[in-house]
Amino acid sequence: MNRDTRPHSQEGPDVLDVNGLRKTYGSAGGSVEAVHDLTFRLDAGELACLVGPSGCGKTTLLKCVAGLLAPTGGTVAVDGRPVHEPPPDMAVVFQEYGRSLFPWLTVRGNVELPLKEKRLPRARRTALVEEALEAVGLAGSARSHPWELSGGMQQRVAIARAIAYEPRVLLMDEPFAAVDAQTRADLEDLVRGLWQRFEMTVLFVTHDIDEAVYLGQRVLVLSSAPTVVQDDVEIDLPEQRDQLTTRSAQRFTELRARVHGQIQQAKQASARE
Amino acid sequence: MTTSPTRAGAGHAPATAPSGPQPPGRGSASVRTVSLGLCGIVLFLLAWELLPRTPAADPQYLPPASTVLATLAERAATAQFWGAVGDTVLAWGSGLAIAAVAATVLGLVVGSVPLLRAYTASTVEFLRPIPSVALIPLAILLYGTDIRSTLLLVVYAAFWQIYVQVLHGVADVDPVAEETARSYRLGRLARIRYLVWPTALPYLLTGLRLGAAVALILTITAQLVIGSPGLGQEIAVAQSSGAPDVVYALIVATGVLGVLVNTGVRAVERRALHWHPSVRGEVSA
Ligand SMILES: Nc1ncnc2c1ncn2[C@@H]1O[C@H](COP(=O)(O)OP(=O)(O)O)[C@@H](O)[C@H]1O
Ligand SMILES: [Mg+2]
């Protein structure tokens, strides 16, 4: 990870390249510009957090990156290939875990389904499913149905499904916004652990500044309406993070204040418009 | 058990289900329901037995329950009766099967293509309310008293019940689940198989239950009016030969058939929808 050359390294392999992205929702009553002009890049193996107020277009951006939504303007490229449909090495974890999991399938069935579609042989599928469930601490729940599990466990299943898919890029859209604080802290540590273990590029979207600073190597701050990348903050906290010591470190507080300041500034700027 | 946001119960109640998801019947509660139901039947039979013996009813037109049940038992010993039951079940079952397959395939296809759905919506709204019995003259013109006339009516009536439910089911596919499936690159066929079909299944089974009842009504009607073979025709014959006890016995037989059909579909529902909020309460309770 060539930290010195980021955030705009020219030689590093850009896994994700978002260039001038714009998205306008058209409807009968008029149009809503959700994303104005977004440009950023992620290096291979980076863990970047994208933070911005609710309604500023984070989900829209993520869907464009995931190939689920066609942008109105600009381009998205994964591994240098332009995205027009969901790219093969990408997995998305949605906020609404309960609706993202299929209630008629067991935990194992949910995790295995994308692998079947990938036409992996059975032995390989079994190995991947077991590894992923073990990694999220749900090895014992493979035969349960999602609705038999707590919210935090359901989101773990969704994460296991993403991990088993062996993505190069993992997108997460406010994945922990609906779980309680303790579960959330556990899941944050889980995500950092998985990122280190499986060497993926992770784009983690959140509206929570603390969460963004705690998790990321980098925090991209979005402004609201018109949505642009307001700031790109490097998080120079130690690699080994811990809910207690990291969050009480002075540097954490400083970074947090900086991100917070940027968001305030963005709000004022948009209010003046 | 589950915390929000889950899809549990979200809009899963199939549209226009008259007796939607059953409340969880567990332990003593369901035993009580059953014994209450039995009590009701006994009381009903008792009233039926006594009423013809009072001046209020003429036993010639309302024979007591015991007479009717004895006649039914008598009939049930004849091959003619079972032949009629067989004809009725055949016409009903094949009509329902044709309607179910056609409605499911068409419903999945039309429901998955918004443009197609929009184009066909008004036609469906016009065709659906046409009472099947209005097609009786047409059926006779086309097929005479052949089983095909009965099938025409049965298929027409049952088809709409199921088709409309399947359309609702397809429309109920959760957008987040759909996006999940697309993000994992499930193709159109895989999405139908793994997502649309399971989502629509509760609706399909509700449609099947409604369709099965309507199909039985139309089967009997066609046999009564057109005279194609079956219980309905037997009833017509018994009526014209002035045997009210036989008429009643056959009516009871059709009622029993209806109960069996409904119980059967419900059993299928419980097995196929073990994961569904309306069913799983019973399992985990
Ligand atoms: N399907 C849609 N049609 C029209 N407007 C939409 C749609 N989805 C989102 N929007 C609008 O776009 C803006 C950004 O939404 P979203 O991307 O969900 O923001 P965030 O995820 O940051 O909360 C909001 O103003 C929202 O109302
Ligand atoms: Mg969002």
Side-chain angles (χ1 to χ4, degrees):
Chain A
M1 250 155 280
N2 23 353
R3 281 174 171 269
D4 38 358
T5 50
R6 264 190 310 102
H8 296 296
S9 86
Q10 290 304 309
E11 63 277 350
D14 287 335
V15 166
L16 183 63
D17 191 341
V18 176
N19 211 330
L21 187 76
R22 192 161 61 83
K23 177 68 191 180
T24 308
Y25 288 108
S27 68
S31 60
V32 183
E33 187 181 58
V35 173
H36 178 61
D37 179 8
L38 281 182
T39 301
F40 64 90
R41 291 172 183 166
L42 295 190
D43 285 347
E46 256 190 318
L47 197 177
C49 291
L50 199 89
V51 65
S54 283
C56 78
K58 303 184 296 294
T59 299
T60 305
L61 162 70
L62 218 69
K63 284 183 184 168
C64 290
V65 170
L68 295 168
L69 202 60
T72 313
T75 56
V76 175
V78 171
D79 271 329
R81 283 187 298 274
V83 169
H84 298 298
E85 53 165 24
D89 323 312
M90 183 184 274
V92 187
V93 173
F94 294 90
Q95 179 185 336
E96 302 97 335
Y97 46 81
R99 295 166 57 195
S100 176
L101 297 170
F102 296 175
W104 45 85
L105 296 180
T106 58
V107 165
R108 169 187 300 280
N110 270 287
V111 177
E112 195 180 11
L113 181 58
L115 310 182
K116 277 189 185 163
E117 197 58 15
K118 255 190 180 181
R119 311 235 177 282
L120 296 182
R122 176 184 291 268
R124 177 78 184 132
R125 294 202 307 256
T126 310
L128 282 171
V129 171
E130 268 162 23
E131 184 187 22
L133 286 177
E134 175 269 318
V136 300
L138 281 181
S141 304
R143 288 155 171 275
S144 305
H145 283 82
W147 38 269
E148 294 172 296
L149 308 176
S150 69
M153 286 162 93
Q154 290 183 36
Q155 192 56 293
R156 281 173 194 264
V157 176
I159 293 172
R161 177 172 61 186
I163 298 296
Y165 195 62
E166 299 183 291
R168 288 202 355 107
V169 184
L170 176 61
L171 307 179
M172 305 182 91
D173 187 9
E174 305 202 40
F176 311 141
V179 298
D180 60 86
Q182 181 52 50
T183 307
R184 181 175 191 151
D186 293 344
L187 288 170
E188 285 165 5
D189 290 331
L190 176 73
V191 164
R192 271 194 72 87
L194 294 172
W195 165 66
Q196 280 159 344
R197 175 170 165 185
F198 293 98
E199 296 171 348
M200 309 165 284
T201 307
V202 179
L203 181 59
F204 189 103
V205 168
T206 178
H207 65 259
D208 183 327
I209 298 167
D210 283 45
E211 184 168 74
V213 173
Y214 178 74
L215 276 179
Q217 292 180 302
R218 225 175 122 188
V219 173
L220 298 161
V221 181
L222 294 192
S223 67
S224 56
T227 307
V228 295
V229 177
Q230 167 93 11
D231 195 9
D232 188 342
V233 184
E234 178 166 344
I235 305 299
D236 48 3
L237 292 166
E239 278 292 289
Q240 283 309 318
R241 297 186 191 173
D242 172 86
Q243 292 284 352
L244 214 61
T245 49
T246 306
R247 282 183 193 270
S248 53
Q250 166 140 32
R251 186 66 189 139
F252 182 85
T253 318
E254 287 166 16
L255 288 164
R256 188 178 168 281
R258 171 160 173 207
V259 174
H260 192 76
Q262 287 298 332
I263 288 182
Q264 290 304 336
Q265 209 174 311
K267 272 190 194 157
Q268 279 153 18
S270 73
R272 246 181 278 124
E273 294 273 321
Chain B
M1 210 157 161
T2 47
T3 46
S4 68
T6 58
R7 58 156 52 175
H12 265 303
T16 70
S19 51
Q22 298 282 295
R26 59 193 118 112
S28 59
S30 71
V31 169
R32 238 183 81 204
T33 316
V34 168
S35 51
L36 273 178
L38 282 178
C39 266
I41 291 178
V42 168
L43 277 177
F44 173 76
L45 287 176
L46 205 66
W48 184 4
E49 184 66 28
L50 295 179
L51 202 61
R53 300 174 199 279
T54 66
D58 183 345
Q60 202 194 330
Y61 299 111
L62 181 62
S66 56
T67 314
V68 170
L69 292 181
T71 310
L72 182 59
E74 222 171 80
R75 285 258 139 186
T78 66
Q80 189 196 351
F81 173 81
W82 289 108
V85 170
D87 284 332
T88 300
V89 170
L90 180 71
W92 167 81
S94 40
L96 185 63
I98 294 169
V101 170
T104 305
V105 172
L106 265 173
L108 286 177
V109 171
V110 172
S112 307
V113 186
L115 206 63
L116 206 55
R117 186 179 176 155
Y119 271 123
T120 52
S122 48
T123 314
V124 168
E125 283 317 303
F126 170 72
L127 291 176
R128 195 160 67 98
I130 296 177
S132 239
V133 286
L135 302 179
I136 288 178
L138 184 67
I140 295 176
L141 269 180
L142 285 174
Y143 303 120
T145 60
D146 199 81
I147 187 177
R148 282 177 297 173
S149 345
T150 312
L151 280 182
L152 177 73
L153 305 182
V154 171
V155 170
Y156 191 86
F159 175 83
W160 296 116
Q161 298 281 346
I162 304 171
Y163 178 74
V164 167
Q165 289 293 335
V166 173
L167 277 191
H168 278 116
V170 174
D172 193 41
V173 168
D174 191 294
V176 177
E178 170 83 23
E179 270 169 353
T180 304
R182 278 175 53 212
S183 77
Y184 285 112
R185 298 170 62 84
L186 266 67
R188 187 173 274 275
L189 276 181
R191 292 208 299 276
I192 288 186
R193 175 170 168 202
Y194 293 112
L195 179 58
V196 180
W197 169 255
T199 305
L201 193 59
Y203 293 85
L204 169 62
L205 291 177
T206 298
L208 205 63
R209 187 153 41 78
L210 302 176
V214 169
L216 187 62
I217 294 173
L218 265 297
T219 307
I220 302 293
T221 307
Q223 293 167 351
L224 264 173
V225 178
I226 303 175
S228 45
L231 282 175
Q233 190 206 26
E234 296 286 311
I235 294 176
V237 169
Q239 181 224 356
S240 54
S241 59
D245 55 332
V246 177
V247 171
Y248 278 101
L250 292 171
I251 291 173
V252 170
T254 59
V256 170
L257 209 54
V259 170
L260 289 179
V261 162
N262 194 39
T263 314
V265 182
R266 283 225 183 260
V268 171
E269 268 183 334
R270 262 197 305 281
R271 297 208 71 178
L273 301 182
H274 65 93
W275 52 269
H276 192 268
S278 69
V279 176
R280 71 196 187 203
E282 297 179 32
V283 181
S284 59

